[in-house]
Amino acid sequence: MITVLRLGHRPARDKRVTTHVALTARAFGADAILVSTKDRTLERTVRDVVRRFGGDFRIETGVPWRKLLRDWNGTKVHLTMYGLPVEETVPKVEPRNLLIVVGAEKVPRDVFDLVDFNIAVGNQPHSEVAALAVLLDRLFDRRPLRDPLGGRLRIRPSPKGKTVVETGR
């Protein structure tokens, strides 16, 4: 079970980025996203994608993040440009019952101490969406990107244009 915790989501400012964090988590093999701020619109958007494109991905918003981090029974990682290099750290990460913390606004200092690993995809400013994609890709060796999720809609690869097909499910 891999869960992403989105910390500091600001609905008016971060709705597209948080949606992209959730969709990236789903597409790259995570099982769920938990968001610290309550946002029913975000929940509806993500659930609609899951309903149409498949998978068992779940979302919950309004989660008390400090309690979650303290009580998590598994490995906790925080994606931050201040962490240790992803290449060195990923081999030490147990993907079973993994919680991946992804910040929106400035992450409170205690997060760095509440996790088992602070991981950097790079030590330059970059997107949290990209960092999550790189980490999950390294953890899963690209498998989720090749596996269909069994939804009623599927994208048919095309050299030009957009083709979405109904699967009959």
Side-chain angles (χ1 to χ4, degrees), residues 3-130:
T3 303
V4 174
L5 170 61
R6 175 68 162 164
L7 257 188
H9 168 67
R10 299 156 293 185
R13 182 172 177 202
D14 298 326
K15 61 186 169 196
R16 287 186 53 87
V17 176
T18 300
T19 301
H20 291 176
V21 169
L23 297 179
T24 298
R26 177 190 163 275
F28 280 77
D31 301 288
I33 185 166
L34 307 174
V35 182
S36 61
T37 305
K38 190 70 174 171
D39 188 337
R40 293 192 194 286
T41 302
L42 174 64
E43 290 178 12
R44 278 192 300 275
T45 299
V46 172
R47 287 180 183 137
D48 184 56
V49 169
V50 172
R51 183 182 54 76
R52 291 182 293 132
F53 288 92
D56 294 325
F57 190 79
R58 71 178 185 84
I59 180 170
E60 181 182 343
T61 66
V63 174
W65 66 268
R66 275 191 178 88
K67 179 173 176 19
L68 177 71
L69 280 173
R70 279 191 217 105
D71 296 347
W72 189 262
N73 186 20
T75 305
K76 300 170 284 193
V77 304
H78 169 220
L79 290 174
T80 172
M81 65 183 180
Y82 304 104
L84 297 174
V86 68
E87 296 83 14
E88 295 173 17
T89 314
V90 164
K92 301 172 189 174
V93 173
E94 171 58 52
R96 259 192 338 251
N97 208 25
L98 175 63
L99 180 67
I100 302 169
V101 181
V102 178
E105 58 189 349
K106 186 175 179 181
V107 172
R109 175 67 184 95
D110 53 338
V111 171
F112 288 81
D113 297 324
L114 288 168
V115 298
D116 301 301
F117 299 99
N118 289 287
I119 298 177
V121 168
N123 298 115
Q124 294 290 323
H126 59 280
S127 164
E128 61 269 33
V129 178

